[in-house]
DNA sequence: CTATCTTCTGACAATGATTCTTATTGGGAC
DNA sequence: GTCCCAATAAGAATCATTGTCAGAAGATAG
């Protein structure tokens, strides 16, 4: 568990605060636009770098939308997955101990080590079901 | 199961043949470069369009690498997941009925319908384990 | 507090995958 | 063969992401 030191800067604080206030997945571009709209002056590259370091530290959760764009969210700690509404974007965090053990078993059976996995579920939430 | 009609063209055949002969995941860019190297004249946009339609028809399997690039592979039919070596790229297809039922259960519990999911496992294969 | 060391940041250029545009081609029904 | 329309080629355009590098701002020793 490498907990690299990060300097507390205005920009880092702004990104974190915005993530907290939104509480939902957002792309780096979107985050940057909102910071600008708030009058906060933060560079786009900085937003990217900050999100990457936060993701590396486990402070935010990163996932890719179906078209490959990276989106980030302030997240509870611990490994979990997402149930995402493909219509309204609502996201539910879910845990699956059974999935964890399954991936470990499968990996071991095939001689794979040092594994991690990604699992996302896309569908229509109750509000968006016709 | 919507089986849209596709015109049998030289380009489509070339893409399919190459996917079969390689038998492993490859990006659209890579596929295009190889076709060119073989002397086949196929446009890049055509490769993209062809792969997209093939993926839509279920003829190939699409997954995204950790850096967001889409890669495609001629695949056995049916839903399955992948165990990918992050060092050498070797891929093993795995099936997980338990995972399927788990995602269905979770989705139902949260009121989600019409769901699909993505699951990829990344690790080091036995040959690449130090 | 000041000097200094280092990391972080900002502006913009560069990259690279993917999509768009438009004129052209070729499959297939008749 | 002829006509129609989907498929294609070429390159431009888009867009997320990363690289560059000089300057700014925390940290820390003195």
């Amino acid at each position: 568990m490498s907990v690299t030191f990060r300097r507390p800067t205005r920009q880092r604080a702004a990104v974190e605060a915005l993530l907290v206030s939104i509480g939902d997945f957002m792309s780096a571009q979107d985050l940057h636009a909102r910071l600008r709209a708030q009058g906060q002056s933060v560079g786009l590259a900085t937003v990217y770098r900050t999100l990457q370091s936060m993701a590396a530290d486990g402070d935010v959760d990163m996932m890719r939308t179906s078209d490959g764009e990276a989106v980030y969210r302030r997240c509870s700690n611990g490994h979990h997955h997402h149930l995402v509404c493909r219509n309204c974007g609502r996201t539910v965090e879910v845990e699956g101990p059974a999935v964890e053990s399954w991936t470990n078993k499968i990996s071991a059976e095939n001689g794979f080590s040092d594994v991690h996995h990604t699992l996302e579920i896309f569908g229509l939430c109750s509000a968006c079901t016709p």
Side-chain angles (χ1 to χ4, degrees), chain A:
Chain A
M1 197 63 77
S2 62
V3 183
T4 319
F5 174 72
R6 311 284 182 191
R7 281 187 181 167
T9 66
R10 173 180 61 82
Q11 294 84 347
R12 173 167 290 265
V15 169
E16 189 157 1
L18 184 51
L19 279 170
V20 168
S21 80
I22 298 287
D24 209 347
F25 278 101
M26 217 173 356
S27 71
Q29 300 279 348
D30 198 1
L31 217 21
H32 176 246
R34 291 194 195 220
L35 287 170
R36 283 296 170 93
Q38 286 182 2
Q40 304 258 10
S41 168
V42 180
L44 177 59
T46 301
V47 173
Y48 274 100
R49 279 182 300 233
T50 303
L51 288 171
Q52 280 167 0
S53 64
M54 287 165 105
D57 293 351
D59 297 331
V60 301
D61 201 32
M62 184 266 252
M63 100 184 225
R64 285 190 187 273
T65 64
S66 51
D67 59 327
E69 187 178 14
V71 289
Y72 301 83
R73 182 169 91 161
R74 171 87 205 208
C75 239
S76 63
N77 279 354
H79 183 75
H80 55 261
H81 303 290
H82 299 101
L83 192 47
V84 185
C85 177
R86 82 167 71 91
N87 184 243
C88 70
R90 188 160 75 86
T91 305
V92 180
E93 272 178 30
V94 296
E95 281 185 43
V99 174
E100 312 306 315
S101 55
W102 178 79
T103 59
N104 288 334
K105 181 167 76 74
I106 285 289
S107 304
E109 283 176 9
N110 288 276
F112 278 65
S113 59
D114 192 15
V115 298
H116 68 100
H117 62 272
T118 65
L119 168 60
E120 317 293 347
I121 311 176
F122 301 92
L124 289 174
C125 75
S126 50
C128 296
T129 300

